Amino acid sequence: MNVRKFFASSSRQALYLVRESMGPDALILSNHQVEGGVEILAMAQADMPPLAATTHVRRDKAEDPPGRSTQPVASPIAVAAAVDTAAADAATSTLASEIKSMRGMIEEHLSFQAWDNAQRGDPGKAKVLRDMLLAGFSPALARQFLAKMPHGLGAEKKLEWVKAVLDRNLRIVATADEIVKRGGVYALVGPTGVGKTTTVAKIAARCVVRYGADRLALLTTDGYRIGAHEQLRIYGKLLGVRVIAIKDASDLQFVLDDLRGKHLVLIDTVGMSQRDQLVPEQLAMLSASGTGIQRLLLLNAAGNGETLDDVVRVYRGAGVHGCIITKADEAVRIATVLDVAIRHQLPLHYVTDGQRVPEDLHLPDRESLLRGALCPVTTPSAHHLDATECQLMLASSSLGVAAGASFA
């Protein structure tokens, strides 16, 4: 749409300029007085857009005079109205966008000011906040901790309070080595590379030592990765336990019915990204067996917090009965994976920290885990925030605690 502006000392002169430039059929969009003369907005007839508003069109071609077109002709009034409307809509949209932007800036400023005032009233909280974020705890967890922290605590008391609350909310299975002692059917699930096959072998070794190889059965649903079945078969051969490959849900149900006399059945599942479309199929196969299969989710201690949250979200949809922390030896900080387990209220069964079978499988040591999570960060890192940035992050964030967890 090519709209041009013409200015002259009088309407007569302005119209003359329009006619000379655009021809006698030019459409006048506006004509109004301005300082020093008259301003006209005009558009050439060739630039007029097709609009819904039209002049009357004959529908009966037999009645049309010879040579007369029956195509709709845009009404100049309709064109002018559409142009003015379009300009008003654009101005309104721009104004709304600017108001929204200003509102966001004001809200962020007020939020930061509120946090700044709160920290001035209790400066020790700022240090606790920064220490938790540097340790690897999520802003969601740190925010709720600070909101519930009692006033008037000294620096050491604040740290003790945080540790006590973490201790109270970190769920560790009540019975040591519960899986091996209680027995049952357990499927280890999680994304590829998290250590499911090795962890199955480690738990299996514990069971063989205590109850013997004939009380244990190993199953695998992993027929996708080259050598995956072979790896578990090698472990099974070393332990004196047969490894059975499962094809589908009916096959799984048939095998589990045949293994009812076993004390412990461990299922090594397919390793794949939590976003793979085959994950729901795998979880559905475990649910369709009709046997009480307990799913244990493996969480990589070296994983990113958002990625771990995504893993829990996907696998928890089909029901997760607990978790196992793996690759603790590869993690710079243990706080992130503990944060995920706490917020999603997942009971912790084991912690693994290496490839040795079964030596690198450990029962959770609550004191050791919390001490490692709260260990002061002394080595500078490009990923660390300073105190002001920590406060700004929390002040500008409107996200609540994931999974709706609440803490005592």
Side-chain angles (χ1 to χ4, degrees):
M1 184 180 294
N2 185 16
V3 178
R4 294 183 57 187
K5 181 188 298 185
F6 297 88
F7 174 81
S9 58
S10 66
S11 295
R12 184 186 183 92
Q13 182 64 24
L15 290 171
Y16 174 79
L17 295 176
V18 172
R19 186 167 57 254
E20 287 295 312
S21 177
M22 294 185 168
D25 296 325
L27 175 66
I28 305 301
L29 302 178
S30 68
N31 182 348
H32 57 277
Q33 295 287 335
V34 297
E35 184 178 354
V38 176
E39 181 181 271
I40 290 179
L41 294 179
M43 181 171 56
Q45 187 179 39
D47 294 328
M48 296 180 189
L51 299 175
T54 63
T55 56
H56 176 68
V57 178
R58 295 173 181 261
R59 296 299 180 185
D60 187 355
K61 292 186 178 181
E63 298 178 2
D64 289 339
R68 176 172 294 182
S69 173
T70 60
Q71 295 297 319
V73 178
S75 164
I77 297 177
V79 174
V83 173
D84 291 345
T85 300
D89 288 346
T92 301
S93 177
T94 301
L95 181 60
S97 177
E98 292 178 353
I99 291 176
K100 184 177 181 180
S101 177
M102 291 176 60
R103 178 179 177 179
M105 293 173 61
I106 293 172
E107 288 179 346
E108 182 172 326
H109 176 74
L110 292 177
S111 297
F112 179 76
Q113 195 70 32
W115 268 95
D116 187 56
N117 293 338
Q119 304 315 312
R120 289 176 185 274
D122 193 350
K125 282 190 174 183
K127 184 178 184 307
V128 173
L129 167 66
R130 184 168 182 267
D131 289 345
M132 290 188 70
L133 294 180
L134 291 181
F137 289 102
S138 67
L141 187 71
R143 186 185 310 114
Q144 192 173 52
F145 269 46
L146 263 65
K148 292 189 174 184
M149 180 179 289
H151 294 285
L153 297 178
E156 291 189 4
K157 291 292 184 181
K158 283 183 171 64
L159 183 60
E160 291 178 5
W161 182 88
V162 169
K163 184 177 179 181
V165 177
L166 288 172
D167 187 5
R168 202 156 52 236
N169 290 279
L170 177 60
R171 300 177 62 185
I172 293 179
V173 292
T175 305
D177 217 359
E178 179 179 292
I179 294 175
V180 174
K181 284 184 177 180
R182 189 176 65 178
V185 182
Y186 293 88
L188 275 62
V189 299
T192 181
V194 77
K196 292 186 295 298
T197 302
T198 306
T199 304
V200 166
K202 292 174 181 177
I203 299 174
R206 281 178 174 261
C207 181
V208 169
V209 169
R210 181 169 298 179
Y211 298 103
D214 60 333
R215 301 295 308 280
L216 171 70
L218 298 179
L219 311 182
T220 177
T221 65
D222 197 344
Y224 293 88
R225 292 182 300 158
I226 298 176
H229 182 199
E230 183 64 18
Q231 182 184 7
L232 188 61
R233 191 189 66 80
I234 292 173
Y235 284 130
K237 184 176 181 179
L238 292 173
L239 296 172
V241 180
R242 180 189 173 196
V243 176
I244 304 173
I246 302 300
K247 299 178 181 179
D248 51 35
S250 60
D251 190 22
L252 176 60
Q253 184 172 356
F254 176 81
V255 171
L256 289 178
D257 288 341
D258 192 49
L259 297 175
R260 289 188 181 276
K262 299 292 184 180
H263 174 72
L264 180 64
V265 177
L266 298 174
I267 304 174
D268 183 22
T269 60
V270 180
M272 60 184 72
S273 164
Q274 71 274 14
R275 299 186 178 183
D276 196 304
Q277 295 181 352
L278 293 177
V279 171
E281 295 181 14
Q282 175 183 245
L283 297 176
M285 180 183 70
L286 297 175
S287 301
S289 68
T291 307
I293 299 177
Q294 299 193 63
R295 287 170 286 277
L296 300 178
L297 178 61
L298 273 63
L299 299 175
N300 185 349
N304 172 275
E306 289 182 324
T307 301
L308 291 173
D309 274 338
D310 194 40
V311 168
V312 175
R313 178 187 60 80
V314 171
Y315 283 92
R316 196 165 191 175
V320 172
H321 300 86
C323 69
I324 297 175
I325 293 177
T326 64
K327 302 181 181 294
D329 56 315
E330 299 179 13
V332 176
R333 309 293 296 176
I334 196 70
T336 301
V337 71
L338 290 182
D339 176 288
V340 172
I342 288 173
R343 285 187 292 105
H344 294 279
Q345 301 179 330
L346 295 174
L348 178 59
H349 288 262
Y350 294 107
V351 176
T352 75
D353 58 2
Q355 295 295 314
R356 295 180 303 168
V357 177
E359 293 87 350
D360 293 332
L361 177 73
H362 311 283
L363 300 175
D365 183 336
R366 186 185 297 272
E367 177 64 27
S368 176
L369 289 172
L370 294 180
R371 184 172 61 250
L374 295 172
C375 179
V377 178
T378 57
T379 305
S381 169
H383 301 279
H384 291 170
L385 302 174
D386 63 27
T388 302
E389 291 168 335
C390 290
Q391 295 181 44
L392 183 59
M393 176 192 291
L394 289 181
S396 62
S397 176
S398 61
L399 297 179
V401 176
S406 58
F407 307 100

mmCIF file of all heavy atoms in Angstrom, residues 284-331:
data_model
loop_
_atom_site.group_PDB
_atom_site.id
_atom_site.type_symbol
_atom_site.label_atom_id
_atom_site.label_comp_id
_atom_site.label_asym_id
_atom_site.label_seq_id
_atom_site.Cartn_x
_atom_site.Cartn_y
_atom_site.Cartn_z
ATOM 1 N N ALA A 284 4.582 -48.388 29.302
ATOM 2 C CA ALA A 284 3.294 -49.083 29.181
ATOM 3 C C ALA A 284 3.491 -50.588 29.242
ATOM 4 O O ALA A 284 2.666 -51.316 29.815
ATOM 5 C CB ALA A 284 2.615 -48.688 27.870
ATOM 6 N N MET A 285 4.586 -51.100 28.675
ATOM 7 C CA MET A 285 4.866 -52.533 28.718
ATOM 8 C C MET A 285 5.068 -52.987 30.157
ATOM 9 O O MET A 285 4.581 -54.036 30.565
ATOM 10 C CB MET A 285 6.110 -52.854 27.892
ATOM 11 C CG MET A 285 6.463 -54.334 27.878
ATOM 12 S SD MET A 285 7.975 -54.705 26.967
ATOM 13 C CE MET A 285 9.191 -53.991 28.057
ATOM 14 N N LEU A 286 5.767 -52.189 30.962
ATOM 15 C CA LEU A 286 5.987 -52.547 32.360
ATOM 16 C C LEU A 286 4.679 -52.530 33.142
ATOM 17 O O LEU A 286 4.468 -53.347 34.039
ATOM 18 C CB LEU A 286 6.987 -51.581 32.997
ATOM 19 C CG LEU A 286 8.407 -51.580 32.409
ATOM 20 C CD1 LEU A 286 9.238 -50.492 33.052
ATOM 21 C CD2 LEU A 286 9.067 -52.936 32.589
ATOM 22 N N SER A 287 3.795 -51.594 32.803
ATOM 23 C CA SER A 287 2.525 -51.470 33.526
ATOM 24 C C SER A 287 1.534 -52.557 33.124
ATOM 25 O O SER A 287 0.666 -52.925 33.910
ATOM 26 C CB SER A 287 1.901 -50.090 33.270
ATOM 27 O OG SER A 287 2.766 -49.058 33.685
ATOM 28 N N ALA A 288 1.670 -53.074 31.886
ATOM 29 C CA ALA A 288 0.681 -54.015 31.368
ATOM 30 C C ALA A 288 0.931 -55.456 31.801
ATOM 31 O O ALA A 288 0.130 -56.335 31.496
ATOM 32 C CB ALA A 288 0.652 -53.947 29.841
ATOM 33 N N SER A 289 2.018 -55.687 32.503
ATOM 34 C CA SER A 289 2.350 -57.072 32.847
ATOM 35 C C SER A 289 1.413 -57.653 33.897
ATOM 36 O O SER A 289 1.301 -58.867 34.042
ATOM 37 C CB SER A 289 3.792 -57.145 33.367
ATOM 38 O OG SER A 289 3.900 -56.485 34.616
ATOM 39 N N GLY A 290 0.741 -56.787 34.661
ATOM 40 C CA GLY A 290 -0.164 -57.280 35.696
ATOM 41 C C GLY A 290 0.544 -57.667 36.978
ATOM 42 O O GLY A 290 -0.078 -57.995 37.981
ATOM 43 N N THR A 291 1.861 -57.643 36.975
ATOM 44 C CA THR A 291 2.650 -57.954 38.167
ATOM 45 C C THR A 291 3.120 -56.643 38.785
ATOM 46 O O THR A 291 3.373 -55.679 38.071
ATOM 47 C CB THR A 291 3.872 -58.816 37.791
ATOM 48 O OG1 THR A 291 3.415 -59.952 37.063
ATOM 49 C CG2 THR A 291 4.617 -59.285 39.033
ATOM 50 N N GLY A 292 3.248 -56.632 40.089
ATOM 51 C CA GLY A 292 3.639 -55.395 40.773
ATOM 52 C C GLY A 292 5.089 -55.036 40.548
ATOM 53 O O GLY A 292 5.947 -55.222 41.428
ATOM 54 N N ILE A 293 5.409 -54.513 39.362
ATOM 55 C CA ILE A 293 6.780 -54.105 39.051
ATOM 56 C C ILE A 293 7.016 -52.718 39.652
ATOM 57 O O ILE A 293 6.297 -51.773 39.354
ATOM 58 C CB ILE A 293 7.018 -54.060 37.535
ATOM 59 C CG1 ILE A 293 6.812 -55.434 36.919
ATOM 60 C CG2 ILE A 293 8.425 -53.553 37.237
ATOM 61 C CD1 ILE A 293 6.966 -55.452 35.413
ATOM 62 N N GLN A 294 8.029 -52.601 40.479
ATOM 63 C CA GLN A 294 8.389 -51.317 41.054
ATOM 64 C C GLN A 294 9.472 -50.678 40.191
ATOM 65 O O GLN A 294 10.496 -51.300 39.910
ATOM 66 C CB GLN A 294 8.873 -51.483 42.494
ATOM 67 C CG GLN A 294 7.810 -52.069 43.410
ATOM 68 C CD GLN A 294 8.191 -51.928 44.860
ATOM 69 O OE1 GLN A 294 8.326 -50.824 45.402
ATOM 70 N NE2 GLN A 294 8.378 -53.061 45.526
ATOM 71 N N ARG A 295 9.224 -49.449 39.785
ATOM 72 C CA ARG A 295 10.158 -48.762 38.905
ATOM 73 C C ARG A 295 11.087 -47.861 39.720
ATOM 74 O O ARG A 295 10.628 -47.012 40.482
ATOM 75 C CB ARG A 295 9.389 -47.947 37.863
ATOM 76 C CG ARG A 295 8.735 -48.812 36.799
ATOM 77 C CD ARG A 295 7.783 -48.038 35.928
ATOM 78 N NE ARG A 295 6.547 -47.740 36.633
ATOM 79 C CZ ARG A 295 5.520 -48.578 36.751
ATOM 80 N NH1 ARG A 295 5.608 -49.790 36.216
ATOM 81 N NH2 ARG A 295 4.429 -48.238 37.390
ATOM 82 N N LEU A 296 12.383 -48.044 39.518
ATOM 83 C CA LEU A 296 13.401 -47.226 40.172
ATOM 84 C C LEU A 296 14.062 -46.349 39.116
ATOM 85 O O LEU A 296 14.614 -46.854 38.133
ATOM 86 C CB LEU A 296 14.450 -48.108 40.853
ATOM 87 C CG LEU A 296 13.925 -49.045 41.947
ATOM 88 C CD1 LEU A 296 15.069 -49.892 42.510
ATOM 89 C CD2 LEU A 296 13.260 -48.252 43.062
ATOM 90 N N LEU A 297 13.982 -45.048 39.295
ATOM 91 C CA LEU A 297 14.518 -44.093 38.326
ATOM 92 C C LEU A 297 15.963 -43.760 38.666
ATOM 93 O O LEU A 297 16.268 -43.355 39.785
ATOM 94 C CB LEU A 297 13.669 -42.817 38.328
ATOM 95 C CG LEU A 297 14.126 -41.688 37.400
ATOM 96 C CD1 LEU A 297 14.106 -42.152 35.947
ATOM 97 C CD2 LEU A 297 13.223 -40.461 37.580
ATOM 98 N N LEU A 298 16.847 -43.926 37.694
ATOM 99 C CA LEU A 298 18.248 -43.600 37.897
ATOM 100 C C LEU A 298 18.500 -42.147 37.503
ATOM 101 O O LEU A 298 18.134 -41.724 36.401
ATOM 102 C CB LEU A 298 19.150 -44.539 37.085
ATOM 103 C CG LEU A 298 19.535 -45.848 37.783
ATOM 104 C CD1 LEU A 298 18.297 -46.703 38.072
ATOM 105 C CD2 LEU A 298 20.553 -46.627 36.963
ATOM 106 N N LEU A 299 19.139 -41.391 38.405
ATOM 107 C CA LEU A 299 19.417 -39.972 38.191
ATOM 108 C C LEU A 299 20.919 -39.757 38.151
ATOM 109 O O LEU A 299 21.635 -40.120 39.091
ATOM 110 C CB LEU A 299 18.795 -39.124 39.308
ATOM 111 C CG LEU A 299 17.273 -39.187 39.444
ATOM 112 C CD1 LEU A 299 16.828 -38.399 40.675
ATOM 113 C CD2 LEU A 299 16.594 -38.637 38.196
ATOM 114 N N ASN A 300 21.383 -39.149 37.093
ATOM 115 C CA ASN A 300 22.806 -38.873 36.907
ATOM 116 C C ASN A 300 23.224 -37.700 37.784
ATOM 117 O O ASN A 300 22.762 -36.572 37.599
ATOM 118 C CB ASN A 300 23.080 -38.557 35.441
ATOM 119 C CG ASN A 300 24.549 -38.381 35.137
ATOM 120 O OD1 ASN A 300 25.384 -38.292 36.032
ATOM 121 N ND2 ASN A 300 24.880 -38.323 33.860
ATOM 122 N N ALA A 301 24.117 -37.940 38.752
ATOM 123 C CA ALA A 301 24.541 -36.881 39.671
ATOM 124 C C ALA A 301 25.245 -35.743 38.955
ATOM 125 O O ALA A 301 25.289 -34.611 39.462
ATOM 126 C CB ALA A 301 25.463 -37.462 40.746
ATOM 127 N N ALA A 302 25.800 -36.009 37.779
ATOM 128 C CA ALA A 302 26.496 -34.970 37.029
ATOM 129 C C ALA A 302 25.577 -34.250 36.049
ATOM 130 O O ALA A 302 26.030 -33.410 35.268
ATOM 131 C CB ALA A 302 27.674 -35.582 36.259
ATOM 132 N N GLY A 303 24.275 -34.558 36.098
ATOM 133 C CA GLY A 303 23.327 -33.970 35.149
ATOM 134 C C GLY A 303 22.924 -32.551 35.499
ATOM 135 O O GLY A 303 23.006 -32.113 36.654
ATOM 136 N N ASN A 304 22.461 -31.829 34.488
ATOM 137 C CA ASN A 304 21.920 -30.483 34.656
ATOM 138 C C ASN A 304 20.572 -30.545 35.357
ATOM 139 O O ASN A 304 19.782 -31.466 35.139
ATOM 140 C CB ASN A 304 21.787 -29.838 33.273
ATOM 141 C CG ASN A 304 21.067 -28.526 33.301
ATOM 142 O OD1 ASN A 304 19.835 -28.492 33.251
ATOM 143 N ND2 ASN A 304 21.807 -27.447 33.380
ATOM 144 N N GLY A 305 20.299 -29.561 36.231
ATOM 145 C CA GLY A 305 19.063 -29.577 37.011
ATOM 146 C C GLY A 305 17.809 -29.611 36.162
ATOM 147 O O GLY A 305 16.870 -30.368 36.444
ATOM 148 N N GLU A 306 17.754 -28.809 35.120
ATOM 149 C CA GLU A 306 16.570 -28.775 34.256
ATOM 150 C C GLU A 306 16.385 -30.101 33.518
ATOM 151 O O GLU A 306 15.261 -30.570 33.340
ATOM 152 C CB GLU A 306 16.690 -27.627 33.255
ATOM 153 C CG GLU A 306 16.543 -26.252 33.894
ATOM 154 C CD GLU A 306 16.617 -25.134 32.876
ATOM 155 O OE1 GLU A 306 17.395 -25.268 31.916
ATOM 156 O OE2 GLU A 306 15.901 -24.140 33.043
ATOM 157 N N THR A 307 17.507 -30.706 33.108
ATOM 158 C CA THR A 307 17.428 -31.997 32.432
ATOM 159 C C THR A 307 16.916 -33.068 33.389
ATOM 160 O O THR A 307 16.064 -33.892 33.029
ATOM 161 C CB THR A 307 18.804 -32.397 31.885
ATOM 162 O OG1 THR A 307 19.256 -31.398 30.966
ATOM 163 C CG2 THR A 307 18.731 -33.743 31.164
ATOM 164 N N LEU A 308 17.410 -33.066 34.617
ATOM 165 C CA LEU A 308 16.958 -34.041 35.610
ATOM 166 C C LEU A 308 15.476 -33.862 35.908
ATOM 167 O O LEU A 308 14.740 -34.839 36.060
ATOM 168 C CB LEU A 308 17.785 -33.898 36.893
ATOM 169 C CG LEU A 308 19.255 -34.313 36.795
ATOM 170 C CD1 LEU A 308 19.995 -33.974 38.078
ATOM 171 C CD2 LEU A 308 19.381 -35.801 36.487
ATOM 172 N N ASP A 309 15.020 -32.615 36.010
ATOM 173 C CA ASP A 309 13.592 -32.359 36.223
ATOM 174 C C ASP A 309 12.765 -32.927 35.068
ATOM 175 O O ASP A 309 11.682 -33.486 35.266
ATOM 176 C CB ASP A 309 13.332 -30.855 36.342
ATOM 177 C CG ASP A 309 13.521 -30.339 37.761
ATOM 178 O OD1 ASP A 309 13.444 -31.144 38.708
ATOM 179 O OD2 ASP A 309 13.746 -29.129 37.927
ATOM 180 N N ASP A 310 13.275 -32.775 33.841
ATOM 181 C CA ASP A 310 12.568 -33.279 32.667
ATOM 182 C C ASP A 310 12.498 -34.804 32.700
ATOM 183 O O ASP A 310 11.473 -35.405 32.367
ATOM 184 C CB ASP A 310 13.280 -32.802 31.398
ATOM 185 C CG ASP A 310 12.438 -32.988 30.148
ATOM 186 O OD1 ASP A 310 11.214 -32.747 30.221
ATOM 187 O OD2 ASP A 310 12.989 -33.379 29.105
ATOM 188 N N VAL A 311 13.594 -35.445 33.116
ATOM 189 C CA VAL A 311 13.618 -36.901 33.231
ATOM 190 C C VAL A 311 12.574 -37.373 34.233
ATOM 191 O O VAL A 311 11.801 -38.298 33.970
ATOM 192 C CB VAL A 311 15.025 -37.384 33.650
ATOM 193 C CG1 VAL A 311 14.990 -38.855 34.059
ATOM 194 C CG2 VAL A 311 16.026 -37.164 32.519
ATOM 195 N N VAL A 312 12.532 -36.723 35.400
ATOM 196 C CA VAL A 312 11.555 -37.113 36.428
ATOM 197 C C VAL A 312 10.133 -36.915 35.921
ATOM 198 O O VAL A 312 9.256 -37.766 36.121
ATOM 199 C CB VAL A 312 11.778 -36.297 37.725
ATOM 200 C CG1 VAL A 312 10.679 -36.617 38.741
ATOM 201 C CG2 VAL A 312 13.142 -36.613 38.325
ATOM 202 N N ARG A 313 9.892 -35.801 35.245
ATOM 203 C CA ARG A 313 8.545 -35.512 34.738
ATOM 204 C C ARG A 313 8.060 -36.609 33.791
ATOM 205 O O ARG A 313 6.923 -37.063 33.883
ATOM 206 C CB ARG A 313 8.548 -34.165 34.014
ATOM 207 C CG ARG A 313 7.210 -33.783 33.407
ATOM 208 C CD ARG A 313 7.330 -32.531 32.566
ATOM 209 N NE ARG A 313 8.263 -32.705 31.472
ATOM 210 C CZ ARG A 313 7.965 -33.325 30.334
ATOM 211 N NH1 ARG A 313 6.748 -33.837 30.165
ATOM 212 N NH2 ARG A 313 8.851 -33.437 29.366
ATOM 213 N N VAL A 314 8.933 -37.055 32.878
ATOM 214 C CA VAL A 314 8.546 -38.055 31.887
ATOM 215 C C VAL A 314 8.303 -39.416 32.532
ATOM 216 O O VAL A 314 7.275 -40.062 32.307
ATOM 217 C CB VAL A 314 9.626 -38.170 30.793
ATOM 218 C CG1 VAL A 314 9.344 -39.361 29.890
ATOM 219 C CG2 VAL A 314 9.687 -36.888 29.975
ATOM 220 N N TYR A 315 9.238 -39.858 33.354
ATOM 221 C CA TYR A 315 9.140 -41.209 33.916
ATOM 222 C C TYR A 315 8.151 -41.292 35.067
ATOM 223 O O TYR A 315 7.572 -42.350 35.310
ATOM 224 C CB TYR A 315 10.520 -41.696 34.365
ATOM 225 C CG TYR A 315 11.380 -42.147 33.222
ATOM 226 C CD1 TYR A 315 12.254 -41.266 32.583
ATOM 227 C CD2 TYR A 315 11.318 -43.445 32.746
ATOM 228 C CE1 TYR A 315 13.039 -41.671 31.518
ATOM 229 C CE2 TYR A 315 12.099 -43.869 31.680
ATOM 230 C CZ TYR A 315 12.947 -42.978 31.068
ATOM 231 O OH TYR A 315 13.712 -43.389 30.016
ATOM 232 N N ARG A 316 7.933 -40.182 35.764
ATOM 233 C CA ARG A 316 7.026 -40.243 36.903
ATOM 234 C C ARG A 316 5.582 -40.370 36.457
ATOM 235 O O ARG A 316 4.717 -40.773 37.232
ATOM 236 C CB ARG A 316 7.188 -39.008 37.781
ATOM 237 C CG ARG A 316 6.572 -39.194 39.151
ATOM 238 C CD ARG A 316 7.030 -38.159 40.135
ATOM 239 N NE ARG A 316 6.639 -38.514 41.479
ATOM 240 C CZ ARG A 316 6.977 -37.847 42.564
ATOM 241 N NH1 ARG A 316 7.740 -36.779 42.454
ATOM 242 N NH2 ARG A 316 6.584 -38.221 43.752
ATOM 243 N N GLY A 317 5.301 -40.040 35.198
ATOM 244 C CA GLY A 317 3.937 -40.161 34.708
ATOM 245 C C GLY A 317 3.407 -41.575 34.792
ATOM 246 O O GLY A 317 2.202 -41.795 34.940
ATOM 247 N N ALA A 318 4.299 -42.564 34.696
ATOM 248 C CA ALA A 318 3.878 -43.962 34.769
ATOM 249 C C ALA A 318 4.076 -44.538 36.168
ATOM 250 O O ALA A 318 3.808 -45.709 36.399
ATOM 251 C CB ALA A 318 4.659 -44.797 33.756
ATOM 252 N N GLY A 319 4.536 -43.700 37.085
ATOM 253 C CA GLY A 319 4.730 -44.147 38.462
ATOM 254 C C GLY A 319 6.169 -44.539 38.729
ATOM 255 O O GLY A 319 6.709 -45.421 38.065
ATOM 256 N N VAL A 320 6.815 -43.860 39.671
ATOM 257 C CA VAL A 320 8.179 -44.169 40.075
ATOM 258 C C VAL A 320 8.170 -44.396 41.576
ATOM 259 O O VAL A 320 7.633 -43.587 42.334
ATOM 260 C CB VAL A 320 9.151 -43.020 39.708
ATOM 261 C CG1 VAL A 320 10.529 -43.281 40.305
ATOM 262 C CG2 VAL A 320 9.255 -42.863 38.196
ATOM 263 N N HIS A 321 8.772 -45.506 42.012
ATOM 264 C CA HIS A 321 8.725 -45.880 43.425
ATOM 265 C C HIS A 321 9.956 -45.442 44.206
ATOM 266 O O HIS A 321 10.003 -45.589 45.425
ATOM 267 C CB HIS A 321 8.551 -47.397 43.543
ATOM 268 C CG HIS A 321 7.298 -47.896 42.898
ATOM 269 N ND1 HIS A 321 7.227 -48.203 41.558
ATOM 270 C CD2 HIS A 321 6.053 -48.114 43.398
ATOM 271 C CE1 HIS A 321 5.995 -48.605 41.263
ATOM 272 N NE2 HIS A 321 5.274 -48.563 42.346
ATOM 273 N N GLY A 322 10.940 -44.929 43.526
ATOM 274 C CA GLY A 322 12.150 -44.474 44.190
ATOM 275 C C GLY A 322 13.204 -44.138 43.169
ATOM 276 O O GLY A 322 12.975 -44.205 41.955
ATOM 277 N N CYS A 323 14.393 -43.752 43.658
ATOM 278 C CA CYS A 323 15.468 -43.377 42.742
ATOM 279 C C CYS A 323 16.802 -43.918 43.226
ATOM 280 O O CYS A 323 16.968 -44.276 44.400
ATOM 281 C CB CYS A 323 15.528 -41.858 42.575
ATOM 282 S SG CYS A 323 16.068 -40.968 44.045
ATOM 283 N N ILE A 324 17.734 -43.972 42.293
ATOM 284 C CA ILE A 324 19.119 -44.338 42.571
ATOM 285 C C ILE A 324 19.988 -43.255 41.952
ATOM 286 O O ILE A 324 19.834 -42.930 40.762
ATOM 287 C CB ILE A 324 19.475 -45.710 41.970
ATOM 288 C CG1 ILE A 324 18.627 -46.814 42.611
ATOM 289 C CG2 ILE A 324 20.961 -46.007 42.153
ATOM 290 C CD1 ILE A 324 18.827 -48.189 41.979
ATOM 291 N N ILE A 325 20.871 -42.674 42.728
ATOM 292 C CA ILE A 325 21.792 -41.655 42.211
ATOM 293 C C ILE A 325 23.022 -42.352 41.658
ATOM 294 O O ILE A 325 23.669 -43.142 42.352
ATOM 295 C CB ILE A 325 22.188 -40.657 43.315
ATOM 296 C CG1 ILE A 325 20.970 -39.829 43.741
ATOM 297 C CG2 ILE A 325 23.302 -39.735 42.834
ATOM 298 C CD1 ILE A 325 21.250 -38.871 44.877
ATOM 299 N N THR A 326 23.338 -42.074 40.396
ATOM 300 C CA THR A 326 24.484 -42.710 39.744
ATOM 301 C C THR A 326 25.548 -41.674 39.392
ATOM 302 O O THR A 326 25.289 -40.470 39.391
ATOM 303 C CB THR A 326 24.051 -43.437 38.460
ATOM 304 O OG1 THR A 326 23.553 -42.468 37.516
ATOM 305 C CG2 THR A 326 22.964 -44.453 38.752
ATOM 306 N N LYS A 327 26.747 -42.173 39.105
ATOM 307 C CA LYS A 327 27.861 -41.336 38.639
ATOM 308 C C LYS A 327 28.212 -40.212 39.621
ATOM 309 O O LYS A 327 28.592 -39.108 39.208
ATOM 310 C CB LYS A 327 27.550 -40.760 37.255
ATOM 311 C CG LYS A 327 27.282 -41.814 36.194
ATOM 312 C CD LYS A 327 27.014 -41.195 34.839
ATOM 313 C CE LYS A 327 26.733 -42.262 33.789
ATOM 314 N NZ LYS A 327 27.889 -43.124 33.513
ATOM 315 N N ALA A 328 28.092 -40.481 40.916
ATOM 316 C CA ALA A 328 28.446 -39.477 41.921
ATOM 317 C C ALA A 328 29.914 -39.093 41.826
ATOM 318 O O ALA A 328 30.296 -37.968 42.191
ATOM 319 C CB ALA A 328 28.116 -39.997 43.321
ATOM 320 N N ASP A 329 30.734 -39.997 41.326
ATOM 321 C CA ASP A 329 32.162 -39.713 41.189
ATOM 322 C C ASP A 329 32.442 -38.720 40.058
ATOM 323 O O ASP A 329 33.511 -38.101 40.027
ATOM 324 C CB ASP A 329 32.941 -41.010 40.927
ATOM 325 C CG ASP A 329 32.415 -41.757 39.704
ATOM 326 O OD1 ASP A 329 31.178 -41.883 39.578
ATOM 327 O OD2 ASP A 329 33.233 -42.219 38.886
ATOM 328 N N GLU A 330 31.481 -38.524 39.143
ATOM 329 C CA GLU A 330 31.674 -37.605 38.026
ATOM 330 C C GLU A 330 31.107 -36.215 38.307
ATOM 331 O O GLU A 330 31.334 -35.284 37.529
ATOM 332 C CB GLU A 330 31.011 -38.170 36.766
ATOM 333 C CG GLU A 330 31.565 -39.512 36.314
ATOM 334 C CD GLU A 330 30.856 -40.043 35.090
ATOM 335 O OE1 GLU A 330 30.105 -39.264 34.450
ATOM 336 O OE2 GLU A 330 31.039 -41.230 34.754
ATOM 337 N N ALA A 331 30.374 -36.062 39.390
ATOM 338 C CA ALA A 331 29.706 -34.794 39.688
ATOM 339 C C ALA A 331 30.622 -33.859 40.471
ATOM 340 O O ALA A 331 31.237 -34.276 41.462
ATOM 341 C CB ALA A 331 28.427 -35.047 40.474
#
